[in-house]
Amino acid sequence: MDLTKQDATKKHSNSTQSQHCFSAADQQGLYKAIFNRRDVRGQFLPKAIPNETLSRIIYAAHHAPSVGFMQPWDFIIIQSHDVKKQIHQSFAQAHNEAETMFEPSKQQTYKNLKLEGIIESPINICITCDRERTGKTVIGRTHMKEMDLYSSVCAVQNFWLAARAEGVGVGWVSILHHEALKSTLALPDNVVPIAYLCLGYVSHFKDKPELESANWLARSPVEDLVSFDSYGKKAETKEQSSLVSQLQADKRFPSLFKL
Amino acid sequence: MDLTKQDATKKHSNSTQSQHCFSAADQQGLYKAIFNRRDVRGQFLPKAIPNETLSRIIYAAHHAPSVGFMQPWDFIIIQSHDVKKQIHQSFAQAHNEAETMFEPSKQQTYKNLKLEGIIESPINICITCDRERTGKTVIGRTHMKEMDLYSSVCAVQNFWLAARAEGVGVGWVSILHHEALKSTLALPDNVVPIAYLCLGYVSHFKDKPELESANWLARSPVEDLVSFDSYGKKAETKEQSSLVSQLQADKRFPSLFKL
């Protein structure tokens, strides 16, 4: 990333035409990140992530939307082997408990899936939500109390996309007990863990989500997920039908950006 | 967006070098979307959004990460004036209730803020989460039951970034009662509304978040939000201090991508 201020200034002179719709090249950069992002568990390399790179990824997360401009997130960066080992033990316990929850026919498949890279990834990061960051009453959170949690999730997604663009793999580990995370990371009562992420360079990014490749579940046809004016109400007007047709015609749109 | 299959094939021949770290141009596209995304309330134009554009934005949302590959989201596209009016009434009621929750000194400022564009935006979209989409036991959701909600939030963030790249403004309206949304949109019991979004072309995108410009709250220095191995634990090693210095040095990083 060599973008200098000079480049930025040059670009600025184009701002009137480019302020709204991005150029095809800029759109491509975003869509590449979206369609090539993967939940990485098994391909981590020990190579260190430079602080220059990590800083950019954290800035991307920090510019997520947040309800009432709360910015409720914190970033706990974990490199201590002892802390990683404790988290890994919590994972192992939860993973054992999880196995028995699946139907017997699925238990073996579940056991064979690699679901975390806590120890082998060079950095773990926990992104949290401080539910009291800006006092009791928050604009936009008066009726939907969960909005601060969702803000931190938006930060996670920005983080993940920026990491992908920087060539860094991210895996979200959710087979953990909240209480174990809270005690290992010494989170105060008002701070909720949102995402425990494993971070590192990778040997390769997989072409598809692993659960899709493993035939655990298929990608849903997106046109089945769209309804109009009311839940599940199918297209009735010409305009609505034309959106459904467009979604069907665009089935290969994501694959145009595959690397 | 004129990317043809031919372009994509051409790009594919570079895949070994480009599979990991994106080119500076591609990174720029992503960072532009992240740093120029705004929560839009007041600048909507009546101009219709072509279905071609809407389809691409929905595909971006559909390729969000999801726990256990649940893809728990639905997209309810609202253009009916009657439905918009009902939602706007719910907003108005909640907004009145909200006003009284702020300290008297802040009530006038709160009242003057424009917090939604339900009627004037050409399209409203509600993104939801079907908590039972793929059965009772979901990989990665055995211990953190909220993970499906978070997956739908990741879809919202992808949607928002893609809309920005397409020149389309998005505003997230959260001053609404869940029950009002559920009844107006006929959501089944197992479907939770995650985000009610107003969508449309805009006269302009604001330079900064509106609550920042209004001095409601300031942008937090990101280095204050980073800790190491345990919540709130400041940098101790040389490596940790160097990350903090890097974050301070990068303070102007987001502004390099301003349009």
Side-chain angles (χ1 to χ4, degrees):
Chain A
M1 194 71 227
D2 314 305
L3 196 87
T4 60
K5 276 189 204 173
Q6 210 184 358
D7 288 328
T9 317
K10 226 186 299 164
K11 236 148 264 130
H12 196 69
S13 61
N14 290 325
S15 71
T16 33
Q17 76 224 49
S18 68
Q19 211 226 338
H20 287 191
C21 191
F22 286 19
S23 69
D26 283 336
Q27 290 181 342
Q28 177 178 284
L30 170 66
Y31 284 129
K32 273 192 185 175
I34 286 175
F35 296 124
N36 292 282
R37 183 206 48 76
R38 287 290 165 267
D39 199 339
V40 175
R41 289 94 180 255
Q43 304 94 50
F44 288 112
L45 305 174
K47 186 183 164 195
I49 301 169
N51 282 332
E52 289 78 3
T53 306
L54 196 51
S55 170
R56 293 193 292 267
I57 300 172
I58 292 172
Y59 267 100
H62 188 45
H63 281 251
S66 68
V67 66
F69 206 47
M70 267 184 90
Q71 309 159 70
W73 40 74
D74 280 278
F75 306 93
I76 308 169
I77 297 170
I78 297 137
Q79 291 184 285
S80 145
H81 186 67
D82 278 355
V83 176
K84 282 178 164 187
K85 237 170 63 186
Q86 282 179 58
I87 300 284
H88 189 267
Q89 279 164 2
S90 309
F91 166 81
Q93 188 200 324
H95 188 49
N96 278 336
E97 293 160 5
E99 188 192 320
T100 61
M101 299 180 198
F102 290 91
E103 287 172 29
S105 66
K106 289 208 149 184
Q107 288 184 11
Q108 194 55 46
T109 316
Y110 179 77
K111 247 165 95 170
N112 288 341
L113 291 165
K114 167 114 175 106
L115 296 174
E116 54 75 40
I118 297 166
I119 303 291
E120 61 268 38
S121 63
I123 296 181
N124 296 179
I125 293 196
C126 186
I127 299 183
T128 57
C129 175
D130 178 349
R131 310 212 65 181
E132 299 172 3
R133 170 109 344 137
T134 55
K136 271 200 173 150
T137 314
V138 174
I139 293 183
R141 209 192 142 206
T142 48
H143 292 72
M144 295 191 174
K145 297 297 177 200
E146 68 277 20
M147 283 300 294
D148 55 344
L149 304 172
Y150 292 179
S151 301
S152 286
V153 176
C154 290
V156 173
Q157 183 62 3
N158 271 10
F159 186 98
W160 210 335
L161 293 170
R164 181 61 193 87
E166 298 281 355
V168 171
V170 170
W172 184 333
V173 184
S174 59
I175 306 172
L176 287 168
H177 287 279
H178 264 234
E179 288 316 310
L181 266 181
K182 290 199 76 156
S183 104
T184 304
L185 301 178
L187 304 186
D189 285 345
N190 52 308
V191 174
V192 176
I194 299 294
Y196 193 86
L197 306 173
C198 301
L199 202 66
Y201 290 108
V202 294
S203 57
H204 60 285
F205 285 95
K206 302 219 174 200
D207 189 43
K208 286 180 174 189
E210 293 179 45
L211 295 179
E212 186 180 6
S213 304
N215 291 321
W216 184 272
L217 282 168
R219 169 81 62 190
S220 307
V222 72
E223 63 271 24
D224 295 353
L225 307 177
V226 168
S227 52
F228 297 89
D229 292 324
S230 178
Y231 188 83
K233 190 152 162 275
K234 294 296 160 204
E236 282 176 1
T237 68
K238 207 175 140 189
E239 194 55 21
Q240 292 170 348
S241 302
S242 133
L243 175 61
V244 173
S245 305
Q246 187 68 47
L247 288 165
Q248 287 164 338
D250 285 345
K251 207 163 278 301
R252 291 188 45 72
F253 176 68
S255 68
L256 297 180
F257 301 94
K258 281 285 167 67
L259 295 175
Chain B
M1 192 75 223
D2 314 305
L3 197 87
T4 60
K5 275 190 204 176
Q6 208 186 2
D7 287 328
T9 317
K10 226 186 300 162
K11 239 148 261 131
H12 196 70
S13 62
N14 289 325
S15 70
T16 33
Q17 77 224 47
S18 68
Q19 211 225 336
H20 287 192
C21 191
F22 286 18
S23 68
D26 284 336
Q27 290 180 343
Q28 178 179 286
L30 170 67
Y31 285 128
K32 273 191 185 175
I34 286 175
F35 296 124
N36 293 283
R37 183 207 48 73
R38 288 290 165 266
D39 199 339
V40 175
R41 290 95 179 254
Q43 303 94 51
F44 288 112
L45 304 174
K47 186 185 165 195
I49 301 169
N51 282 333
E52 290 78 3
T53 305
L54 196 51
S55 169
R56 293 193 292 266
I57 300 172
I58 292 172
Y59 267 100
H62 187 46
H63 281 252
S66 69
V67 67
F69 207 46
M70 268 183 90
Q71 309 158 73
W73 40 73
D74 280 279
F75 306 92
I76 308 169
I77 296 170
I78 296 137
Q79 291 183 286
S80 144
H81 186 66
D82 278 354
V83 176
K84 282 178 165 188
K85 236 169 63 185
Q86 282 180 58
I87 300 285
H88 189 267
Q89 278 164 2
S90 309
F91 166 81
Q93 187 199 326
H95 188 49
N96 278 338
E97 293 160 4
E99 188 191 321
T100 62
M101 299 181 198
F102 290 91
E103 288 172 29
S105 65
K106 289 208 148 185
Q107 288 183 9
Q108 194 55 47
T109 316
Y110 179 76
K111 248 167 93 170
N112 288 341
L113 292 165
K114 167 113 174 107
L115 297 174
E116 54 74 40
I118 296 166
I119 303 292
E120 61 268 37
S121 63
I123 296 181
N124 296 179
I125 293 198
C126 186
I127 299 184
T128 58
C129 174
D130 178 350
R131 310 212 66 181
E132 298 172 3
R133 169 112 343 142
T134 56
K136 270 201 172 149
T137 314
V138 174
I139 294 185
R141 209 191 143 208
T142 48
H143 292 73
M144 295 189 174
K145 297 295 177 201
E146 68 278 22
M147 284 299 294
D148 55 344
L149 304 172
Y150 292 179
S151 301
S152 286
V153 176
C154 289
V156 173
Q157 183 62 4
N158 271 11
F159 186 99
W160 209 336
L161 293 171
R164 181 62 193 86
E166 298 282 355
V168 172
V170 171
W172 183 333
V173 184
S174 59
I175 306 173
L176 287 168
H177 287 278
H178 264 233
E179 288 317 309
L181 266 181
K182 290 199 75 154
S183 103
T184 305
L185 302 178
L187 304 186
D189 285 345
N190 53 308
V191 174
V192 176
I194 299 294
Y196 193 87
L197 306 173
C198 302
L199 203 67
Y201 290 109
V202 295
S203 58
H204 60 287
F205 285 95
K206 302 220 173 200
D207 189 44
K208 285 181 177 189
E210 292 179 47
L211 294 179
E212 186 180 5
S213 304
N215 291 321
W216 184 272
L217 282 168
R219 168 83 62 189
S220 306
V222 72
E223 63 272 23
D224 295 353
L225 306 177
V226 169
S227 53
F228 297 90
D229 293 322
S230 179
Y231 188 83
K233 193 154 161 272
K234 294 295 158 203
E236 282 176 0
T237 69
K238 209 175 136 187
E239 194 55 21
Q240 292 169 351
S241 303
S242 132
L243 175 61
V244 173
S245 305
Q246 187 67 48
L247 289 164
Q248 288 164 336
D250 286 345
K251 207 163 277 306
R252 291 190 44 73
F253 176 66
S255 67
L256 297 180
F257 301 94
K258 282 285 166 65
L259 296 174

